[in-house]
Amino acid sequence: MTELLALTLALPLLAGALFIVATASTRAALFGFFAFGLFLALAWVALDAVDVALTEAAIGGGATGLLLLRLNGRMRHPVSLGEPAGPRLKIAAGLLAALVTLALGALLLALPEPAPSLAAATVEPLPTLGIGNPVAAVLIAYRALDTLLEIVVLLIAVVGLRALGTDRGWGGRPVPWPEGGPSPALVFLARLLIPAGLVFAAYLFWVGADAPGGKFQASTLLAALWLLAIMAGLAPAPSSGGRWTGRALAIGPLAFIAAGAIGIAAAGSFLAWPEPVAKPMIIAVELALAVSIVVALVLLVAGPPERETGR
Amino acid sequence: MSATLFGLAGAALVGIGLFGLIVHPTALRKLLAFNLVGAGVFLVFGVVARRAAAAGLAGDPVPQAIVITGIVVAFAATALAATLLARLSGPEEEP
């Protein structure tokens, strides 16, 4: 039964990937990528990794797809990095791809039995943190440094994006939608979805401590709602020159580093959570992180500022 | 067994993405294909997590958390690449 379920989920994945690579139309490939992302999220659910499924649906499929779709609309001509592939190159690439796939598959079938696992070590200290979701505990406690650096990577991407903007656009806002005004249907949809989405994002944030969910998933949802409001003309995009944008971007990593410094003083090592106040500290840091992640994601999807704000 | 099926699908995704990455001449399609390779690698990793189920959990949470971090980092890299492409395709800046 589970094999049947796995097959019904794995086959659309392969078909979607083949379609994305084979179709002639870039636009069709991008829409295929959205569908592919949703099937991939379902595959993660079938693998009992609901936290990953939420992240994949929100960021891997949704935000990446939206970003690339917007890019496709903004590009004035396709950027070509070479000549179209000839039959020889196609055959060579096909052989290489088949070789890599076979090697990976053989490695998967030859994995050691029983599999090494850190699950027991992760579950054991959960009560001292006040967190019931082991994946959230790994992200915020055991591998907190990874999460800190992940936020820093987002910030570096934002810095890179600003550096690539035009001089004229410096200090301005990203252009919300290339041509024409938003359609009334989009405005109605935004008005309908945003209140419900806000409630659901708050729920995801809070429930992430004990069940699948968490700050990243909630932040992505909030960023998606903000982007929807920007597209519908109901809210402005964050201004790259505004004081609040910079502060919002900085507050998450700064709070995380400050908590890490408290950990040195109170618990003996960087990013260790002192036991009696672990839960409130974690919530405070996650709130600050969520603010930074929302602004960073909106800026990354909306693109570099392109015009001056109306003064 | 069903987890291994997803792993094999992940291996196939890496192959398909790699093929697209080499064969497509346009940068946007290369970027899409690169994301397929990433999805395949994550899926392979997910199978490693699923096999390591222990202590009453359905999977090892450590690889799962690393995949979550990986998805976000891949998104940041894609966003940066997309901005580069937009700049490459845009008109020359006016003096």
Side-chain angles (χ1 to χ4, degrees), chain A residues 20-21 23 79 81 112 117 164, chain B residues 24-25 27 29 51-52 60 87:
Chain A
I20 292 168
V21 168
T23 179
V79 177
L81 301 174
S117 175
L164 288 167
Chain B
H24 275 296
R29 299 298 292 273
R51 286 178 77 254
D60 190 347
R87 192 67 201 270

Side-chain angles (χ1 to χ4, degrees), chain A residues 103-118:
Chain A
L104 265 178
L107 281 177
L108 268 171
L109 294 176
L111 283 175
E113 198 72 52
S117 175
L118 290 169

Side-chain angles (χ1 to χ4, degrees), chain B residues 68-88:
Chain B
I68 291 180
T69 308
I71 290 175
V72 176
V73 171
F75 167 75
T78 306
L80 201 53
T83 315
L84 268 170
L85 282 187
R87 192 67 201 270
L88 274 173

Side-chain angles (χ1 to χ4, degrees), chain B:
Chain B
M1 182 58 209
S2 63
T4 311
L5 268 177
F6 283 118
L8 295 178
L13 288 186
V14 174
I16 295 170
L18 188 64
F19 180 77
L21 190 63
I22 297 173
V23 165
H24 275 296
T26 58
L28 182 54
R29 299 298 292 273
K30 277 189 196 290
L31 199 53
L32 263 179
F34 202 73
N35 268 291
L36 286 184
V37 177
V41 171
F42 292 147
L43 209 49
V44 169
F45 218 52
V47 175
V48 174
R50 181 71 182 86
R51 286 178 77 254
L57 298 180
D60 190 347
V62 175
Q64 291 184 10
I66 292 175
V67 167
I68 291 180
T69 308
I71 290 175
V72 176
V73 171
F75 167 75
T78 306
L80 201 53
T83 315
L84 268 170
L85 282 187
R87 192 67 201 270
L88 274 173
S89 80
E92 294 301 309
E93 185 145 333
E94 295 144 32

Side-chain angles (χ1 to χ4, degrees), chain A residues 12-67:
Chain A
L13 273 183
L14 295 184
L18 284 173
F19 174 78
I20 292 168
V21 168
T23 179
S25 149
T26 304
R27 219 178 145 76
L30 286 167
F31 283 109
F33 188 71
F34 277 105
F36 172 80
L38 289 177
F39 272 107
L40 190 57
L42 286 178
W44 281 110
V45 175
L47 282 169
D48 287 305
V50 182
D51 289 275
V52 185
L54 284 168
T55 313
E56 171 57 42
I59 298 190
T64 307
L66 180 62
L67 173 83

